[in-house]
Amino acid sequence: MLQAKDVDIHKAVALLQNTIQALSAYRDDFDQVKRTAQNLAERWGAQSEFTEIRKRRMKRHFDELSQDERLSDGESRFRINVFNASLDIINSQLSQRFTSMRETNELFQAIHPGTLNRAQDNALHQHAQRLADHYSRDLSPSFPVQLLAFRACFKTEIAKEPSVKDMTKMLIVDHSSMAATFSEVCTALLLYLTIPVTVATAERSFSKLKLIKTYLRSSMGQERLSGLATLSIENSRARKLDLSSVVDDFAERKARKINF
């Protein structure tokens, strides 16, 4: 879902937060996880019990007060060293790697439909002013005032839109005559929608490059390579093309007009 074409930053942050909460709840329910794994192991004919190892006893010196407290129980050792440790690493990485995404989402909080529906004028003006200060080269100081006017004019329409993308379509497409009046609001909406959530699309392009430019096609030119890569990436759309019309169009463009 994070790699979907229509995902935005607000939706991605919500998905990540739900994932962290689900993994935290999963970590606290080890007994239920163990029962599910044991039932699955019994169905597959695999071992369903933890392996016990001989408890190692370390030599204790006369000045030591406590005995060796190493984990000898197989279930406790797995829960602490494997189960809890793995989930803690996952939660930590999810929290650290997407910090900038959460900060960007909070920065654009002013143009979220939920904020426009519920926030007071003073709070909305503060959020808009912070966004205008951060993008001072793209947004003018009049952006907070325009945003308040935009909410006053389209209060009913904004309440019906679930996302920033739908609200942008409502303003720029459905009410195109009003787009020039709220030019700063349009700029902020387009800025938000052009910020990439993931780099999955670019990585797919590199993956396709390995499949297209093989050893036998090493002498291929850049123009042909770009064309084949576009056809491969957009293969679902390319399969719907009428090849006869494409051939006729190509023949008309490349025909040599010679008068005999």
Side-chain angles (χ1 to χ4, degrees):
M1 295 179 68
L2 290 177
Q3 297 180 0
K5 295 181 179 180
D6 58 344
V7 70
D8 56 12
I9 297 179
H10 182 69
K11 188 185 299 184
V13 170
L15 290 173
L16 290 170
Q17 189 62 32
N18 292 337
T19 303
I20 293 174
Q21 293 177 358
L23 289 176
S24 299
Y26 189 73
R27 183 185 186 278
D28 298 333
D29 198 10
F30 177 76
D31 294 334
Q32 178 63 31
V33 175
K34 185 185 70 172
R35 287 193 294 268
T36 304
Q38 287 177 340
N39 294 334
L40 186 62
E42 291 176 359
R43 234 177 352 210
W44 287 356
Q47 182 180 354
S48 60
E49 299 295 335
F50 292 98
T51 303
E52 299 292 338
I53 61 175
R54 182 178 64 85
K55 184 177 180 180
R56 295 179 57 190
R57 291 189 176 275
M58 304 296 293
K59 182 178 180 181
R60 188 175 64 168
H61 298 280
F62 68 93
D63 57 345
E64 293 181 356
L65 300 179
S66 61
Q67 295 182 355
D68 186 21
E69 298 295 338
R70 293 174 182 247
L71 294 173
S72 59
D73 182 30
E75 179 179 340
S76 300
R77 187 171 60 254
F78 175 82
R79 185 181 73 251
I80 295 174
N81 296 334
V82 179
F83 184 77
N84 291 347
S86 301
L87 291 178
D88 290 341
I89 292 174
I90 294 173
N91 281 335
S92 177
Q93 293 296 320
L94 287 176
S95 301
Q96 294 177 5
R97 295 191 178 192
F98 297 96
T99 301
S100 59
M101 181 183 294
R102 287 193 292 269
E103 293 176 353
T104 304
N105 181 61
E106 293 177 0
L107 185 63
F108 282 91
Q109 185 178 0
I111 62 174
H112 291 167
T115 304
L116 291 173
N117 290 326
R118 296 187 297 268
Q120 299 293 330
D121 290 346
N122 294 333
L124 183 60
H125 189 279
Q126 292 178 359
H127 294 318
Q129 187 63 49
R130 185 176 63 172
L131 181 60
D133 293 340
H134 190 272
Y135 291 98
S136 57
R137 295 184 178 181
D138 302 301
L139 299 174
S140 66
S142 62
F143 169 69
V145 179
Q146 279 196 18
L147 188 62
L148 292 174
F150 168 71
R151 182 175 71 168
C153 293
F154 296 97
K155 189 172 183 179
T156 305
E157 289 80 357
I158 293 173
K160 299 177 182 179
E161 304 300 339
S163 64
V164 177
K165 180 181 178 181
D166 297 327
M167 190 171 62
T168 305
K169 180 178 178 296
M170 180 269 296
L171 176 60
I172 298 178
V173 179
D174 299 339
H175 299 84
S176 57
S177 59
M178 298 292 291
T181 306
F182 303 106
S183 59
E184 299 298 327
V185 178
C186 293
T187 303
L189 294 173
L190 294 177
L191 277 174
Y192 179 82
L193 293 177
T194 53
I195 296 177
V197 179
T198 63
V199 295
T201 304
E203 291 177 354
R204 291 192 190 103
S205 301
F206 286 107
S207 299
K208 288 293 183 181
L209 184 62
K210 295 180 180 179
L211 300 176
I212 297 171
K213 194 167 186 179
T214 60
Y215 175 76
L216 297 177
R217 296 172 178 169
S218 59
S219 60
M220 184 189 307
Q222 183 64 34
E223 184 177 359
R224 183 164 182 255
L225 176 61
S226 299
L228 291 177
T230 304
L231 288 174
S232 181
I233 294 172
E234 303 293 343
N235 63 85
S236 59
R237 184 175 180 181
R239 295 178 189 275
K240 300 178 182 179
L241 295 176
D242 186 6
L243 295 181
S244 300
S245 62
V246 174
V247 170
D248 294 339
D249 187 20
F250 180 80
E252 291 178 1
R253 292 172 180 266
K254 299 298 182 180
R256 296 182 179 180
K257 299 178 180 180
I258 301 177
N259 295 325
F260 292 97

